[in-house]
Amino acid sequence: MADTEFLVAHGLRKAFGPFQAVDSVSFTISQREIFGLLGPNGAGKTTVIRMMSTVLKPDDGHISIGGFSVTADSDSVRKLIGVCPQELALYPELSATDNLVFFGRMAGLNGRQARESARENLERVGLQDRARDRVEQFSGGMKRRVNIAIALMSRPQLLFLDEPTVGIDPQSRNHIFETVENLRDEGMTVLYTTHYMEEADRLCDRLAIMDHGSIIGLGTPRELKSEIGNPDRVTLEDVFLEYTGRRLRD
Amino acid sequence: MALVLRQAFLIASKDTRIFFKDRFAMAFAFLFPFIFIVGWSAALSGQGPRDEPLDITLVTQEEEGISLSVIEELSQSVYASVSTRPYDDALAALQDGEIDGFVVFPADFTQKIVSGASTSLGVVVNDDNPDAEAALSGFAQEVAGRFTEAQIAFRAAADLAAQPQGELQAEPPDRTSAEFDSDTAPTVGLVLERVGDVVPFRASNFTLPAYLTMFVFFSAALSAEAIARERQNQTLERLMSNGTRRESIVLGKFIGTAYRSAAQLVVMWLAGILLFDIYLGTAPVAVIAISVLMALASAAFGVLLASFVRSVQAAGSAGVLTSLVLAPIGGCWWPLFIAPQWMQSLAKLTPHGWANGGFNKLMLFGAEAGEVTQELGALVAFAAAFLAIALWRFRTAAQ
């Protein structure tokens, strides 16, 4: 893991009316790091990603990515990032290739570059044989992989993956893990949110646990486990429940 | 600006491809209006005026005189079929239902005319045929009116000529009205003026543009649902984080919807010309211009609607509701010119009303292009206003 800070978030705040969605969030992500953002539903993870991906303006605080301010130089930031949202943000009526080419061209690639990048990324997520099929004919896991491939079209340096493995089979999930690890090995920085603790334990170099809009735990998985017991016996789920409580959430 | 346009056309192209892959959307855009047009054209066929020459039976009870000259001249008309019969034959034909009625020149017609006395033409019809009575009375009044004008002119000329010398610098009269006989009586003709091309009434000349207007706006309104779905599944957000401008999204959605509206227009107009033999009027270019502006206004309307709704369900409901309210107000279900004045005024608040008003003027009343400039201007104004509001809404609602 390199030490260079690629993303710096400081004092982030965001409210929607009276609801304080994000409150004084600060963390950094180093280059080639997989950083996990964990938290129960409504903790503010997605709002943090939306602010970092230039879609939402923070009410307060500062974010820089690759040295560029997200608010002051959003165009430069957009060239560095790829976003894989929680929803399947794609066009089911179009083929996998057409989806990737469209988003690639919208990101500024020309037609030839977009087709080449689409071929590479479909191969990366293991869908090269289904490139011409309509996405609506795909299984849930395959759609999730297309969703990730789209985020890779602009060859980003920082990839946001917002719960990329929700509702898919173990094979597809494992394929996604391998893809993310490969991307990290190739030099990409990843911000990864998930509800699955074993995923975070396997993939993430460092983690932040969020609840009620704030970060309540930050460190490597082992450091976090050490805070509540023997790191070889405590699971990340124990840590999560210790921090966020056992009370049921909506 | 170049980036915005590039992105907008990419979005429009993508939306058009999706549209042509969606069978239901295609059916709604092309099949439904076609069914409506066929149905209503069939239902309304047989209504309205026919392009048939006027059959007029004339009877004169004179052996010779002015009435014979008049009948001979009227026989030359291409707009009326004039026949003559003896009075008893005409009466028998009327009673047998062979003719609807006839006009009678009395036996002393010429004598009364040349002496300046009053006379009258007779109109004989059945009591239960008000249409024939109206048509023949109108004809008789026209003929009588011409003779009255001629009589007044002759009397005035005669009176002037009878004035003592010195009072008026006029030549002494060489003839008086009493001296006119049938040979020297003025020729009196019936002038039928031709106004525009005479076109047979076809219901499809109203139904096609009306239902086309309704369905172009309906399809555009439902495109708001597609935009809301994109907002919900975060493709719009993904595009924005990808470097896509909000202006590009609004413009792209507008252009894409306009493409689809244009496809509807091309298909339905071609079907109208080839299958329904519709008449585009004396200014077909103006019909095309109204069609294009209507497509732009409808596309802007769809984007505007999308900018106000928050969910797919709300977009669907708003699309259906606005379409079903605006279509009848705007004259898509019945011609505006048969509606009361207050409804005609209300229609001007809708782009549908202006589009239908323009189509009706051009295709039913033979208007020239210059007579629909108001309609063209109104459609441009609607499109610009809708688009500006949509852009403002997308900008302000985003944060």
Side-chain angles (χ1 to χ4, degrees), chain A residues 56-109:
Chain A
L56 272 184
K57 271 188 184 166
D59 295 338
D60 199 8
H62 172 77
I63 308 167
S64 76
I65 294 176
F68 298 107
S69 164
V70 163
T71 46
D73 201 354
S74 54
D75 284 345
S76 298
V77 168
R78 287 178 187 134
K79 289 175 184 165
L80 299 176
I81 63 172
V83 181
C84 176
Q86 196 172 326
E87 298 290 329
L88 291 169
L90 39 75
Y91 300 102
E93 306 87 347
L94 299 180
S95 71
T97 297
D98 287 345
N99 267 284
L100 268 64
V101 168
F102 169 70
F103 281 102
R105 296 209 65 190
M106 292 302 290
L109 304 182

Short mmCIF file of all heavy atoms in Angstrom, two decimals, chain A residues 56-109:
data_model
loop_
_atom_site.label_atom_id
_atom_site.label_comp_id
_atom_site.label_asym_id
_atom_site.label_seq_id
_atom_site.Cartn_x
_atom_site.Cartn_y
_atom_site.Cartn_z
N LEU A 56 -23.31 15.82 -5.41
CA LEU A 56 -23.86 16.66 -4.34
C LEU A 56 -22.79 17.61 -3.83
O LEU A 56 -21.62 17.21 -3.71
CB LEU A 56 -24.32 15.79 -3.16
CG LEU A 56 -25.73 15.21 -3.14
CD1 LEU A 56 -25.93 14.48 -1.81
CD2 LEU A 56 -26.77 16.28 -3.32
N LYS A 57 -23.20 18.83 -3.51
CA LYS A 57 -22.25 19.77 -2.91
C LYS A 57 -22.32 19.65 -1.38
O LYS A 57 -23.42 19.67 -0.83
CB LYS A 57 -22.62 21.20 -3.29
CG LYS A 57 -21.98 21.67 -4.58
CD LYS A 57 -22.24 23.14 -4.78
CE LYS A 57 -21.68 23.56 -6.13
NZ LYS A 57 -22.17 24.88 -6.52
N PRO A 58 -21.18 19.52 -0.72
CA PRO A 58 -21.23 19.49 0.74
C PRO A 58 -21.68 20.84 1.29
O PRO A 58 -21.39 21.88 0.69
CB PRO A 58 -19.79 19.19 1.16
CG PRO A 58 -18.99 19.07 -0.08
CD PRO A 58 -19.84 19.42 -1.26
N ASP A 59 -22.39 20.82 2.42
CA ASP A 59 -22.75 22.09 3.07
C ASP A 59 -21.51 22.73 3.69
O ASP A 59 -21.39 23.95 3.76
CB ASP A 59 -23.78 21.84 4.18
CG ASP A 59 -25.11 21.33 3.63
OD1 ASP A 59 -25.37 21.57 2.44
OD2 ASP A 59 -25.87 20.70 4.39
N ASP A 60 -20.62 21.87 4.11
CA ASP A 60 -19.40 22.37 4.75
C ASP A 60 -18.31 21.30 4.57
O ASP A 60 -18.59 20.14 4.33
CB ASP A 60 -19.67 22.63 6.24
CG ASP A 60 -18.62 23.55 6.85
OD1 ASP A 60 -17.80 24.09 6.09
OD2 ASP A 60 -18.62 23.70 8.08
N GLY A 61 -17.05 21.71 4.72
CA GLY A 61 -15.94 20.76 4.61
C GLY A 61 -15.29 20.81 3.24
O GLY A 61 -15.70 21.59 2.36
N HIS A 62 -14.32 19.95 3.08
CA HIS A 62 -13.51 20.00 1.87
C HIS A 62 -13.16 18.58 1.42
O HIS A 62 -12.88 17.72 2.25
CB HIS A 62 -12.22 20.80 2.16
CG HIS A 62 -11.23 20.74 1.05
ND1 HIS A 62 -11.37 21.48 -0.10
CD2 HIS A 62 -10.09 20.02 0.90
CE1 HIS A 62 -10.35 21.22 -0.91
NE2 HIS A 62 -9.56 20.33 -0.32
N ILE A 63 -13.19 18.37 0.13
CA ILE A 63 -12.75 17.08 -0.43
C ILE A 63 -11.77 17.39 -1.55
O ILE A 63 -12.06 18.22 -2.42
CB ILE A 63 -13.93 16.28 -1.04
CG1 ILE A 63 -15.08 16.14 -0.05
CG2 ILE A 63 -13.45 14.90 -1.51
CD1 ILE A 63 -16.37 15.63 -0.70
N SER A 64 -10.65 16.69 -1.54
CA SER A 64 -9.77 16.78 -2.72
C SER A 64 -9.46 15.37 -3.20
O SER A 64 -9.29 14.45 -2.38
CB SER A 64 -8.50 17.56 -2.39
OG SER A 64 -7.61 16.77 -1.66
N ILE A 65 -9.42 15.24 -4.50
CA ILE A 65 -9.10 13.94 -5.12
C ILE A 65 -7.99 14.17 -6.14
O ILE A 65 -8.14 15.00 -7.05
CB ILE A 65 -10.35 13.34 -5.80
CG1 ILE A 65 -11.40 12.98 -4.75
CG2 ILE A 65 -9.98 12.10 -6.62
CD1 ILE A 65 -12.71 12.47 -5.29
N GLY A 66 -6.90 13.47 -5.95
CA GLY A 66 -5.76 13.63 -6.86
C GLY A 66 -5.24 15.06 -6.87
O GLY A 66 -4.71 15.53 -7.87
N GLY A 67 -5.47 15.77 -5.76
CA GLY A 67 -5.00 17.15 -5.65
C GLY A 67 -5.99 18.20 -6.14
O GLY A 67 -5.76 19.39 -6.01
N PHE A 68 -7.11 17.75 -6.68
CA PHE A 68 -8.12 18.70 -7.18
C PHE A 68 -9.29 18.79 -6.19
O PHE A 68 -9.76 17.77 -5.67
CB PHE A 68 -8.67 18.25 -8.54
CG PHE A 68 -7.63 18.18 -9.61
CD1 PHE A 68 -7.18 16.95 -10.08
CD2 PHE A 68 -7.11 19.34 -10.17
CE1 PHE A 68 -6.22 16.88 -11.07
CE2 PHE A 68 -6.14 19.27 -11.17
CZ PHE A 68 -5.69 18.05 -11.62
N SER A 69 -9.76 20.02 -6.00
CA SER A 69 -10.92 20.21 -5.12
C SER A 69 -12.18 19.74 -5.84
O SER A 69 -12.43 20.10 -6.99
CB SER A 69 -11.06 21.69 -4.77
OG SER A 69 -12.34 21.93 -4.24
N VAL A 70 -12.98 18.96 -5.13
CA VAL A 70 -14.22 18.43 -5.73
C VAL A 70 -15.20 19.55 -6.07
O VAL A 70 -15.90 19.49 -7.08
CB VAL A 70 -14.86 17.41 -4.77
CG1 VAL A 70 -16.30 17.14 -5.13
CG2 VAL A 70 -14.06 16.12 -4.79
N THR A 71 -15.22 20.60 -5.24
CA THR A 71 -16.17 21.69 -5.49
C THR A 71 -15.60 22.73 -6.46
O THR A 71 -16.33 23.23 -7.32
CB THR A 71 -16.56 22.38 -4.17
OG1 THR A 71 -15.37 22.61 -3.42
CG2 THR A 71 -17.51 21.52 -3.37
N ALA A 72 -14.32 23.03 -6.34
CA ALA A 72 -13.75 24.11 -7.16
C ALA A 72 -13.29 23.61 -8.54
O ALA A 72 -13.24 24.39 -9.49
CB ALA A 72 -12.58 24.76 -6.43
N ASP A 73 -12.95 22.34 -8.63
CA ASP A 73 -12.41 21.84 -9.90
C ASP A 73 -13.03 20.48 -10.23
O ASP A 73 -12.34 19.49 -10.44
CB ASP A 73 -10.88 21.73 -9.80
CG ASP A 73 -10.22 21.71 -11.17
OD1 ASP A 73 -10.96 21.67 -12.18
OD2 ASP A 73 -8.98 21.72 -11.22
N SER A 74 -14.35 20.50 -10.28
CA SER A 74 -15.08 19.24 -10.41
C SER A 74 -14.80 18.56 -11.76
O SER A 74 -14.79 17.33 -11.84
CB SER A 74 -16.58 19.47 -10.22
OG SER A 74 -17.04 20.47 -11.08
N ASP A 75 -14.55 19.35 -12.80
CA ASP A 75 -14.28 18.74 -14.11
C ASP A 75 -13.01 17.88 -14.06
O ASP A 75 -12.98 16.78 -14.63
CB ASP A 75 -14.13 19.82 -15.19
CG ASP A 75 -15.48 20.39 -15.61
OD1 ASP A 75 -16.51 19.74 -15.28
OD2 ASP A 75 -15.51 21.45 -16.25
N SER A 76 -11.98 18.38 -13.38
CA SER A 76 -10.73 17.61 -13.26
C SER A 76 -10.96 16.36 -12.42
O SER A 76 -10.42 15.29 -12.72
CB SER A 76 -9.65 18.47 -12.63
OG SER A 76 -9.38 19.58 -13.45
N VAL A 77 -11.76 16.51 -11.37
CA VAL A 77 -12.04 15.36 -10.50
C VAL A 77 -12.78 14.26 -11.28
O VAL A 77 -12.46 13.08 -11.16
CB VAL A 77 -12.86 15.81 -9.27
CG1 VAL A 77 -13.43 14.61 -8.51
CG2 VAL A 77 -12.00 16.66 -8.35
N ARG A 78 -13.74 14.68 -12.11
CA ARG A 78 -14.55 13.69 -12.86
C ARG A 78 -13.70 12.84 -13.80
O ARG A 78 -14.07 11.72 -14.12
CB ARG A 78 -15.66 14.40 -13.64
CG ARG A 78 -16.77 14.92 -12.74
CD ARG A 78 -17.82 15.66 -13.54
NE ARG A 78 -18.78 16.27 -12.63
CZ ARG A 78 -19.22 17.52 -12.73
NH1 ARG A 78 -18.79 18.29 -13.71
NH2 ARG A 78 -20.08 17.99 -11.87
N LYS A 79 -12.58 13.42 -14.23
CA LYS A 79 -11.71 12.64 -15.13
C LYS A 79 -10.94 11.56 -14.37
O LYS A 79 -10.38 10.66 -14.97
CB LYS A 79 -10.73 13.59 -15.83
CG LYS A 79 -11.42 14.47 -16.86
CD LYS A 79 -10.46 15.46 -17.45
CE LYS A 79 -11.20 16.41 -18.40
NZ LYS A 79 -10.40 17.60 -18.72
N LEU A 80 -10.90 11.69 -13.05
CA LEU A 80 -10.12 10.74 -12.25
C LEU A 80 -10.97 9.63 -11.64
O LEU A 80 -10.42 8.65 -11.15
CB LEU A 80 -9.42 11.49 -11.10
CG LEU A 80 -8.42 12.58 -11.49
CD1 LEU A 80 -7.89 13.27 -10.24
CD2 LEU A 80 -7.26 11.98 -12.28
N ILE A 81 -12.29 9.82 -11.65
CA ILE A 81 -13.11 8.89 -10.88
C ILE A 81 -14.02 8.05 -11.77
O ILE A 81 -14.36 8.42 -12.90
CB ILE A 81 -14.00 9.65 -9.85
CG1 ILE A 81 -15.00 10.58 -10.55
CG2 ILE A 81 -13.14 10.41 -8.87
CD1 ILE A 81 -16.01 11.22 -9.61
N GLY A 82 -14.40 6.89 -11.23
CA GLY A 82 -15.44 6.06 -11.84
C GLY A 82 -16.41 5.69 -10.73
O GLY A 82 -16.00 5.42 -9.61
N VAL A 83 -17.71 5.74 -11.04
CA VAL A 83 -18.71 5.49 -10.00
C VAL A 83 -19.57 4.30 -10.39
O VAL A 83 -20.14 4.26 -11.48
CB VAL A 83 -19.61 6.74 -9.81
CG1 VAL A 83 -20.64 6.48 -8.71
CG2 VAL A 83 -18.77 7.96 -9.47
N CYS A 84 -19.65 3.33 -9.47
CA CYS A 84 -20.57 2.22 -9.64
C CYS A 84 -21.63 2.36 -8.55
O CYS A 84 -21.40 2.00 -7.40
CB CYS A 84 -19.82 0.89 -9.51
SG CYS A 84 -20.92 -0.51 -9.61
N PRO A 85 -22.81 2.92 -8.91
CA PRO A 85 -23.81 3.18 -7.87
C PRO A 85 -24.45 1.90 -7.35
O PRO A 85 -24.32 0.83 -7.94
CB PRO A 85 -24.84 4.07 -8.57
CG PRO A 85 -24.54 4.02 -10.00
CD PRO A 85 -23.25 3.33 -10.23
N GLN A 86 -25.17 2.07 -6.26
CA GLN A 86 -25.86 0.95 -5.63
C GLN A 86 -26.92 0.37 -6.57
O GLN A 86 -27.10 -0.84 -6.64
CB GLN A 86 -26.52 1.50 -4.37
CG GLN A 86 -26.96 0.49 -3.38
CD GLN A 86 -27.43 1.19 -2.10
OE1 GLN A 86 -26.90 2.22 -1.70
NE2 GLN A 86 -28.43 0.62 -1.48
N GLU A 87 -27.62 1.24 -7.30
CA GLU A 87 -28.62 0.78 -8.26
C GLU A 87 -27.94 0.29 -9.53
O GLU A 87 -26.78 0.63 -9.78
CB GLU A 87 -29.55 1.95 -8.65
CG GLU A 87 -30.35 2.54 -7.51
CD GLU A 87 -31.43 1.60 -7.02
OE1 GLU A 87 -31.96 0.82 -7.82
OE2 GLU A 87 -31.74 1.65 -5.81
N LEU A 88 -28.67 -0.51 -10.30
CA LEU A 88 -28.15 -0.93 -11.61
C LEU A 88 -28.36 0.23 -12.58
O LEU A 88 -29.40 0.33 -13.24
CB LEU A 88 -28.87 -2.19 -12.09
CG LEU A 88 -28.57 -3.45 -11.29
CD1 LEU A 88 -29.52 -4.56 -11.67
CD2 LEU A 88 -27.13 -3.89 -11.51
N ALA A 89 -27.38 1.12 -12.61
CA ALA A 89 -27.51 2.33 -13.42
C ALA A 89 -27.07 2.05 -14.84
O ALA A 89 -25.97 2.42 -15.27
CB ALA A 89 -26.69 3.46 -12.80
N LEU A 90 -27.93 1.36 -15.56
CA LEU A 90 -27.63 1.00 -16.95
C LEU A 90 -28.94 0.90 -17.73
O LEU A 90 -30.02 1.11 -17.17
CB LEU A 90 -26.85 -0.32 -17.00
CG LEU A 90 -27.24 -1.44 -16.01
CD1 LEU A 90 -28.51 -2.10 -16.42
CD2 LEU A 90 -26.12 -2.43 -15.89
N TYR A 91 -28.83 0.59 -19.00
CA TYR A 91 -30.01 0.55 -19.87
C TYR A 91 -30.29 -0.91 -20.26
O TYR A 91 -29.61 -1.46 -21.13
CB TYR A 91 -29.80 1.42 -21.10
CG TYR A 91 -29.54 2.86 -20.73
CD1 TYR A 91 -28.25 3.39 -20.75
CD2 TYR A 91 -30.58 3.68 -20.31
CE1 TYR A 91 -28.00 4.70 -20.37
CE2 TYR A 91 -30.34 4.99 -19.91
CZ TYR A 91 -29.06 5.49 -19.95
OH TYR A 91 -28.82 6.77 -19.56
N PRO A 92 -31.27 -1.55 -19.62
CA PRO A 92 -31.52 -2.98 -19.86
C PRO A 92 -31.88 -3.29 -21.30
O PRO A 92 -31.63 -4.40 -21.77
CB PRO A 92 -32.72 -3.29 -18.94
CG PRO A 92 -32.87 -2.13 -18.04
CD PRO A 92 -32.20 -0.96 -18.66
N GLU A 93 -32.45 -2.30 -22.01
CA GLU A 93 -32.88 -2.56 -23.40
C GLU A 93 -31.70 -2.67 -24.35
O GLU A 93 -31.84 -3.18 -25.46
CB GLU A 93 -33.80 -1.44 -23.89
CG GLU A 93 -35.00 -1.15 -23.01
CD GLU A 93 -34.70 -0.15 -21.90
OE1 GLU A 93 -33.50 0.14 -21.67
OE2 GLU A 93 -35.65 0.33 -21.26
N LEU A 94 -30.55 -2.14 -23.93
CA LEU A 94 -29.36 -2.15 -24.81
C LEU A 94 -28.47 -3.34 -24.48
O LEU A 94 -28.54 -3.91 -23.39
CB LEU A 94 -28.58 -0.85 -24.65
CG LEU A 94 -29.30 0.46 -24.99
CD1 LEU A 94 -28.37 1.64 -24.78
CD2 LEU A 94 -29.81 0.44 -26.43
N SER A 95 -27.59 -3.68 -25.41
CA SER A 95 -26.64 -4.76 -25.18
C SER A 95 -25.57 -4.28 -24.19
O SER A 95 -25.43 -3.08 -23.93
CB SER A 95 -25.98 -5.17 -26.49
OG SER A 95 -25.10 -4.15 -26.91
N ALA A 96 -24.82 -5.24 -23.67
CA ALA A 96 -23.74 -4.90 -22.73
C ALA A 96 -22.74 -3.95 -23.42
O ALA A 96 -22.35 -2.93 -22.85
CB ALA A 96 -23.04 -6.17 -22.28
N THR A 97 -22.38 -4.28 -24.65
CA THR A 97 -21.43 -3.42 -25.37
C THR A 97 -22.00 -2.02 -25.57
O THR A 97 -21.30 -1.02 -25.35
CB THR A 97 -21.09 -4.04 -26.74
OG1 THR A 97 -20.45 -5.29 -26.52
CG2 THR A 97 -20.17 -3.14 -27.54
N ASP A 98 -23.27 -1.95 -26.00
CA ASP A 98 -23.86 -0.63 -26.25
C ASP A 98 -23.89 0.21 -24.98
O ASP A 98 -23.68 1.43 -25.02
CB ASP A 98 -25.28 -0.78 -26.80
CG ASP A 98 -25.28 -1.26 -28.25
OD1 ASP A 98 -24.21 -1.19 -28.88
OD2 ASP A 98 -26.33 -1.71 -28.73
N ASN A 99 -24.18 -0.43 -23.84
CA ASN A 99 -24.15 0.31 -22.57
C ASN A 99 -22.77 0.88 -22.31
O ASN A 99 -22.61 2.06 -22.00
CB ASN A 99 -24.54 -0.63 -21.42
CG ASN A 99 -26.03 -0.59 -21.11
OD1 ASN A 99 -26.51 0.36 -20.50
ND2 ASN A 99 -26.75 -1.61 -21.55
N LEU A 100 -21.77 0.04 -22.44
CA LEU A 100 -20.40 0.49 -22.13
C LEU A 100 -19.93 1.56 -23.10
O LEU A 100 -19.32 2.56 -22.70
CB LEU A 100 -19.44 -0.71 -22.14
CG LEU A 100 -19.22 -1.40 -20.78
CD1 LEU A 100 -20.49 -2.02 -20.24
CD2 LEU A 100 -18.10 -2.42 -20.86
N VAL A 101 -20.23 1.36 -24.37
CA VAL A 101 -19.80 2.34 -25.38
C VAL A 101 -20.48 3.69 -25.11
O VAL A 101 -19.83 4.75 -25.18
CB VAL A 101 -20.11 1.84 -26.80
CG1 VAL A 101 -19.95 2.96 -27.83
CG2 VAL A 101 -19.19 0.67 -27.16
N PHE A 102 -21.77 3.65 -24.78
CA PHE A 102 -22.48 4.91 -24.53
C PHE A 102 -21.82 5.68 -23.38
O PHE A 102 -21.49 6.86 -23.51
CB PHE A 102 -23.95 4.64 -24.22
CG PHE A 102 -24.68 5.85 -23.71
CD1 PHE A 102 -24.94 6.93 -24.54
CD2 PHE A 102 -25.07 5.94 -22.38
CE1 PHE A 102 -25.59 8.06 -24.07
CE2 PHE A 102 -25.72 7.07 -21.90
CZ PHE A 102 -25.97 8.13 -22.74
N PHE A 103 -21.62 4.98 -22.24
CA PHE A 103 -21.04 5.69 -21.09
C PHE A 103 -19.59 6.12 -21.37
O PHE A 103 -19.15 7.17 -20.90
CB PHE A 103 -21.12 4.82 -19.83
CG PHE A 103 -22.50 4.83 -19.21
CD1 PHE A 103 -23.37 3.77 -19.38
CD2 PHE A 103 -22.94 5.92 -18.47
CE1 PHE A 103 -24.64 3.78 -18.83
CE2 PHE A 103 -24.21 5.94 -17.90
CZ PHE A 103 -25.06 4.87 -18.08
N GLY A 104 -18.89 5.31 -22.13
CA GLY A 104 -17.52 5.68 -22.49
C GLY A 104 -17.50 6.94 -23.34
O GLY A 104 -16.68 7.84 -23.11
N ARG A 105 -18.39 7.00 -24.28
CA ARG A 105 -18.42 8.20 -25.14
C ARG A 105 -18.87 9.43 -24.36
O ARG A 105 -18.39 10.53 -24.59
CB ARG A 105 -19.35 7.96 -26.33
CG ARG A 105 -18.83 6.84 -27.25
CD ARG A 105 -19.24 7.03 -28.66
NE ARG A 105 -18.64 8.23 -29.22
CZ ARG A 105 -18.96 8.76 -30.38
NH1 ARG A 105 -19.88 8.18 -31.12
NH2 ARG A 105 -18.40 9.85 -30.81
N MET A 106 -19.79 9.22 -23.42
CA MET A 106 -20.21 10.35 -22.59
C MET A 106 -19.05 10.84 -21.72
O MET A 106 -19.02 12.01 -21.32
CB MET A 106 -21.39 9.96 -21.70
CG MET A 106 -22.69 9.68 -22.45
SD MET A 106 -23.28 11.06 -23.44
CE MET A 106 -23.78 12.20 -22.19
N ALA A 107 -18.13 9.93 -21.41
CA ALA A 107 -16.98 10.33 -20.60
C ALA A 107 -15.88 10.97 -21.44
O ALA A 107 -14.84 11.37 -20.92
CB ALA A 107 -16.42 9.12 -19.87
N GLY A 108 -16.10 11.05 -22.75
CA GLY A 108 -15.16 11.77 -23.60
C GLY A 108 -14.36 10.90 -24.55
O GLY A 108 -13.55 11.42 -25.32
N LEU A 109 -14.56 9.57 -24.51
CA LEU A 109 -13.81 8.72 -25.45
C LEU A 109 -14.42 8.86 -26.84
O LEU A 109 -15.64 9.09 -26.97
CB LEU A 109 -13.90 7.25 -25.02
CG LEU A 109 -13.42 6.88 -23.60
CD1 LEU A 109 -13.54 5.37 -23.38
CD2 LEU A 109 -11.98 7.33 -23.38
#
